[in-house]
Amino acid sequence: MSGPFSFRLLATDGAARSGEMATAHGRVRTPAFMPVGTQGAIKGVHHDDVRAAGADILLGNTYHLMLRPSAERVAALGGLHSFMRWPYPILTDSGGFQVMSLSRLRKVEEAGVTFRSHIDGAAAALSPERAVEIQILLGSDIAMQLDECVRLPAERGEIERAMRLSLRWAERCKRAFAAAPADRALFGIVQGGDDPDLREASARALVDIGFHGYAIGGLAVGEEPQVMRDIVAATAPALPADRPRYLMGVGTPADLLAGIARGIDMFDCVLPTRNGRHGLAFTRFGPINIKNAHHADDPRPLDAESNCPAAREFSRAYLHHLFKAGEALGGTLLSIVNLYYYQDLMAGARAAIAAGRFADYAAQTEAAWSQKRDVATQ
Amino acid sequence: MSGPFSFRLLATDGAARSGEMATAHGRVRTPAFMPVGTQGAIKGVHHDDVRAAGADILLGNTYHLMLRPSAERVAALGGLHSFMRWPYPILTDSGGFQVMSLSRLRKVEEAGVTFRSHIDGAAAALSPERAVEIQILLGSDIAMQLDECVRLPAERGEIERAMRLSLRWAERCKRAFAAAPADRALFGIVQGGDDPDLREASARALVDIGFHGYAIGGLAVGEEPQVMRDIVAATAPALPADRPRYLMGVGTPADLLAGIARGIDMFDCVLPTRNGRHGLAFTRFGPINIKNAHHADDPRPLDAESNCPAAREFSRAYLHHLFKAGEALGGTLLSIVNLYYYQDLMAGARAAIAAGRFADYAAQTEAAWSQKRDVATQ
């Protein structure tokens, strides 16, 4: 399985696509949802459960791993796959987004970005070349270019400045990536905020540079959901049909269906695990807040027909009790429930696209969310 | 599997014994270690991992469950086995120890104990009759009498007063237990602090009342380890050979070997999970504090030959990283490692007793703990 990175489309249905990426660590079925292993672990969930839920690929965070335990230490221990004991595909982001959202005293210059660690305040730096070097050291199957991500709303001038800088960094990343083993992939990142013209210009310039795949970054950063959908709709057609398209940091189940309908192939988001830790379960019947008092006596499972053992086998009353009692097992079980739900949503989408009925699938799925099966009706 | 409770000895080796309890929810091989599911969950660990580690039986806490979610609620949901989804044997304590250690404003009288909940300060009460009723509602296979547990050191007069009260409560518990289904068992609890004469008197009086099994309570409450061992050695011979003997709230791996050598059949303790959450792994090579800096670059697993997948498959460097990064998965994995270690220690003891070589097993096991394989020697 050490052939070069490749992507092939298996079916299209309107703008929606299903396909398959091949990497040195195995295949990724698309549309794909990538659970987020920020610090080399999916929060509160054992890797085996993440895999069992159906994940083909994980996301790791360059920013976190470069600070702790460090890219060099991970490399000395055999790379991130070996370090985590996740022998399947891994995508790493470039650190640009976390520098913006987590670090202090950051300074963006042409050369790169300097900042202080959110852990101990130590000075640190990322350049396009260093971001690529770190990702090569980590051994990720798919590396991302360093970009500058602007929080919305923002002035058009500021959005364009960051987009142009990100393009220059994209060129430098591609040059640096020549040092990577042949089976690795590098994705460019479209920027341009909420401006469709800037987005299209960014996309076309990135395609001229040439990448294995293309991401849409700088969304899910404060804009309205419809803005995100419009920007995705405006950007995807400017990207080549034969390369995977990745919508970064998105999102809710509805966001995923909307993205797939507009031609997106890959997603990542912390929502399944973050919401799970806070007592929110994603189900076929819509979201269920297990902490609500009316679950205390409800013997029903979250979903008797789920693929997820935790959703089938534990009662709502028991899950409610775990949260009321402050037992961490509650957050773990709901995180697992949510990871299964997200993967099942993607599997359903892939099957629907193959059958040419994705629009029906999306409509039926969304209609079922409003069944309000949250409350027991006896 | 709904026959009456029974216990049979399979082998003895000096004072050490191996045997088997039969309950309505399956068998329990002794010597047995019971993981503690205080609030209906083993902290941070999925039930399936607890079972896979080799646990035949769990302990649940009457005090916690009566306050939240309440015994009546658990009963309405089918009992604790169904509520937790643990279809195997369950022992519940009577709440006496937690009333002493956790609650506020407690008042012990002949009738029972009144106290305020540690959760919300609400007034609550436990009598011998109510403690038994709660345990019947929970559906536990083995219920414990209500006792008064005195923290050591204490005056002899105070120890004797509590011991005599516990005996009167034992009689009331036995009477109340007549209401229990026929397949349930009730254990008496020997009290008497660190006084061998009081311990023997308590044991003989309990045997006169007659229970399915006998526990030694009121130890591991502040006394020196040798005091605990001496009291166990003085008490066990006063208990009938054909009934199981349970040393409550104990202990370290060394405590377990010492207890088995003195004729104990059952143990429970929070150490495997509490220490696991704090970064301490129990291994064949002795305890390993995974947070120590020298593990950061150590690619070795905790124990390549362990029965525990987490001990075999993850490197010490990765486990160290999880703790440094504050990832809850680290505590979960080390809790699992420790639960396997405790169960493997018991399985080894059972096999050694059957082979008539328990003393050698204990000596070799303790010698291996000092091998100091904590530090990598390359």
Side-chain angles (χ1 to χ4, degrees):
Chain A
M1 292 208 302
S2 59
F5 175 88
S6 69
F7 174 69
R8 65 191 178 111
L9 275 182
L10 297 173
T12 59
D13 178 11
R17 307 133 52 89
S18 76
E20 192 172 291
M21 294 190 289
T23 79
H25 291 90
R27 69 168 183 166
V28 178
R29 297 160 293 179
T30 65
F33 177 77
M34 304 184 283
V36 178
T38 303
Q39 304 189 101
I42 309 298
K43 286 205 185 301
V45 181
H46 194 293
H47 309 355
D48 290 350
D49 291 315
V50 177
R51 184 69 178 177
D56 288 340
I57 179 171
L58 288 190
L59 180 143
N61 281 116
T62 285
Y63 171 84
H64 288 90
L65 294 169
M66 72 180 277
L67 297 177
R68 184 174 56 199
S70 88
E72 280 70 17
R73 175 166 275 157
V74 171
L77 289 161
L80 188 55
H81 296 84
S82 170
F83 179 63
M84 294 182 60
R85 204 218 59 164
W86 174 268
Y88 313 110
I90 294 177
L91 177 148
T92 46
D93 70 4
S94 65
F97 181 79
Q98 277 75 28
V99 167
M100 176 189 83
S101 59
L102 290 180
S103 71
R104 289 173 289 152
L105 295 174
R106 64 189 165 276
K107 188 171 171 188
V108 178
E109 297 173 302
E110 187 66 29
V113 56
T114 52
F115 57 95
R116 291 201 174 271
S117 160
H118 74 292
I119 300 169
D120 59 5
L126 266 181
S127 63
E129 293 76 17
R130 176 63 180 158
V132 165
E133 181 184 37
I134 288 170
Q135 294 178 85
I136 293 174
L137 285 167
L138 293 175
S140 46
D141 299 287
I142 302 175
M144 302 300 300
Q145 73 149 100
L146 186 67
D147 59 339
E148 185 189 356
C149 186
V150 174
R151 201 173 281 282
L152 297 177
E155 296 292 321
R156 189 179 195 281
E158 170 66 3
I159 292 170
E160 178 163 8
R161 183 202 57 73
M163 182 271 274
R164 299 281 172 205
L165 177 66
S166 296
L167 285 175
R168 295 191 294 278
W169 286 359
E171 289 195 285
R172 288 166 56 189
C173 284
K174 182 164 183 192
R175 278 197 297 276
F177 200 72
D183 55 10
R184 312 270 182 93
L186 178 69
F187 281 23
I189 303 177
V190 177
Q191 290 290 352
D194 52 4
D195 186 308
D197 295 337
L198 292 181
R199 288 280 175 180
E200 190 180 333
S202 172
R204 298 201 183 284
L206 285 171
V207 173
D208 284 344
I209 300 170
F211 290 93
H212 297 96
Y214 298 88
I216 302 177
L219 290 177
V221 291
E223 78 282 4
E224 292 294 319
Q226 193 56 48
V227 171
M228 179 172 77
R229 293 171 192 197
D230 291 345
I231 290 296
V232 170
T235 306
L239 296 172
D242 63 349
R243 300 293 161 95
R245 302 166 184 162
Y246 163 27
L247 180 55
M248 302 183 80
V250 174
T252 65
D255 290 336
L256 268 56
L257 293 177
I260 293 168
R262 289 159 181 79
I264 298 297
D265 306 302
M266 303 161 66
F267 304 88
D268 80 279
C269 195
V270 296
L271 268 190
T273 47
R274 178 177 294 166
N275 282 1
R277 287 196 306 282
H278 290 102
L280 195 91
F282 292 107
T283 76
R284 288 187 297 137
F285 319 119
I288 294 178
N289 185 344
I290 203 70
K291 293 196 283 192
N292 285 343
H294 64 81
H295 298 298
D297 296 296
D298 192 337
R300 298 176 305 157
L302 284 169
D303 182 352
E305 293 168 33
S306 172
N307 287 319
C308 175
R312 288 195 310 267
E313 295 174 358
F314 292 105
S315 69
R316 298 180 188 201
Y318 180 66
L319 296 170
H320 172 83
H321 166 69
L322 292 178
F323 275 90
K324 298 306 277 187
E327 287 286 342
L329 182 62
T332 293
L333 292 176
L334 256 56
S335 294
I336 293 172
V337 166
N338 291 344
L339 289 171
Y340 271 85
Y341 184 73
Y342 268 63
Q343 296 299 344
D344 287 349
L345 189 69
M346 296 293 99
R350 292 191 294 266
I353 292 164
R357 50 175 298 278
F358 177 74
D360 284 352
Y361 171 76
Q364 288 162 9
T365 298
E366 297 198 338
W369 289 338
S370 56
Q371 284 183 10
K372 300 291 177 201
R373 295 270 294 272
D374 190 1
V375 180
T377 50
Q378 317 224 334
Chain B
M1 292 208 299
S2 60
F5 175 88
S6 69
F7 173 69
R8 63 188 179 114
L9 276 181
L10 297 174
T12 59
D13 180 10
R17 308 134 51 88
S18 77
E20 192 171 290
M21 293 189 291
T23 79
H25 292 90
R27 70 168 182 164
V28 178
R29 297 161 294 178
T30 65
F33 177 77
M34 304 185 282
V36 178
T38 303
Q39 304 188 101
I42 309 298
K43 287 206 182 302
V45 180
H46 194 293
H47 309 352
D48 290 349
D49 291 313
V50 178
R51 184 69 178 174
D56 288 339
I57 179 169
L58 287 189
L59 181 143
N61 282 114
T62 284
Y63 170 85
H64 287 91
L65 294 167
M66 72 181 275
L67 297 177
R68 185 173 54 197
S70 88
E72 280 70 17
R73 177 166 273 158
V74 171
L77 290 161
L80 188 55
H81 296 85
S82 170
F83 179 63
M84 295 183 59
R85 204 220 56 165
W86 173 267
Y88 312 110
I90 295 177
L91 178 148
T92 46
D93 69 6
S94 64
F97 180 80
Q98 277 76 30
V99 167
M100 178 190 82
S101 60
L102 291 179
S103 72
R104 289 172 289 151
L105 294 174
R106 64 187 166 276
K107 187 172 171 188
V108 178
E109 298 172 302
E110 187 65 29
V113 55
T114 52
F115 58 94
R116 292 201 174 270
S117 159
H118 75 291
I119 299 168
D120 58 6
L126 264 183
S127 63
E129 292 76 16
R130 177 62 179 157
V132 165
E133 181 185 36
I134 289 170
Q135 293 177 84
I136 292 173
L137 285 166
L138 294 174
S140 46
D141 299 286
I142 302 176
M144 302 301 299
Q145 72 151 101
L146 186 66
D147 59 340
E148 185 189 356
C149 185
V150 175
R151 200 174 281 283
L152 298 178
E155 295 292 322
R156 188 179 194 281
E158 169 66 4
I159 292 171
E160 179 163 7
R161 184 203 55 73
M163 183 272 274
R164 300 280 172 205
L165 177 65
S166 296
L167 285 176
R168 293 190 297 278
W169 285 1
E171 288 194 286
R172 288 166 57 189
C173 284
K174 183 164 181 190
R175 279 197 296 277
F177 200 71
D183 55 9
R184 312 269 183 97
L186 178 67
F187 282 23
I189 304 179
V190 178
Q191 288 289 352
D194 51 5
D195 186 308
D197 295 336
L198 292 179
R199 286 282 175 179
E200 192 180 331
S202 172
R204 297 200 184 284
L206 286 171
V207 173
D208 284 344
I209 301 169
F211 289 93
H212 296 96
Y214 298 89
I216 302 176
L219 290 177
V221 290
E223 78 285 3
E224 291 294 318
Q226 192 58 47
V227 171
M228 179 172 77
R229 293 172 193 196
D230 291 346
I231 290 295
V232 170
T235 307
L239 296 172
D242 63 348
R243 300 293 160 95
R245 303 166 183 161
Y246 163 28
L247 179 55
M248 302 183 78
V250 174
T252 64
D255 290 336
L256 268 55
L257 293 178
I260 293 168
R262 289 161 181 78
I264 298 297
D265 306 303
M266 302 161 66
F267 305 87
D268 81 278
C269 193
V270 297
L271 269 189
T273 45
R274 178 177 294 164
N275 281 0
R277 289 197 304 282
H278 290 101
L280 195 91
F282 291 107
T283 76
R284 289 187 297 137
F285 319 120
I288 294 178
N289 184 342
I290 202 68
K291 293 196 281 192
N292 285 343
H294 63 79
H295 298 297
D297 295 298
D298 192 338
R300 297 176 305 159
L302 283 169
D303 182 351
E305 292 167 33
S306 172
N307 287 320
C308 174
R312 287 194 312 267
E313 296 173 358
F314 292 105
S315 69
R316 299 180 186 201
Y318 180 66
L319 296 170
H320 172 84
H321 167 69
L322 292 178
F323 276 89
K324 298 305 278 188
E327 288 285 343
L329 182 62
T332 293
L333 292 176
L334 256 57
S335 294
I336 294 172
V337 165
N338 291 345
L339 289 171
Y340 271 85
Y341 184 73
Y342 269 62
Q343 296 298 345
D344 288 349
L345 189 68
M346 295 294 99
R350 292 192 295 266
I353 292 166
R357 50 175 297 281
F358 177 73
D360 282 353
Y361 171 75
Q364 287 162 10
T365 299
E366 297 198 339
W369 289 339
S370 56
Q371 282 183 10
K372 301 292 178 199
R373 295 270 294 272
D374 189 2
V375 180
T377 50
Q378 315 233 331

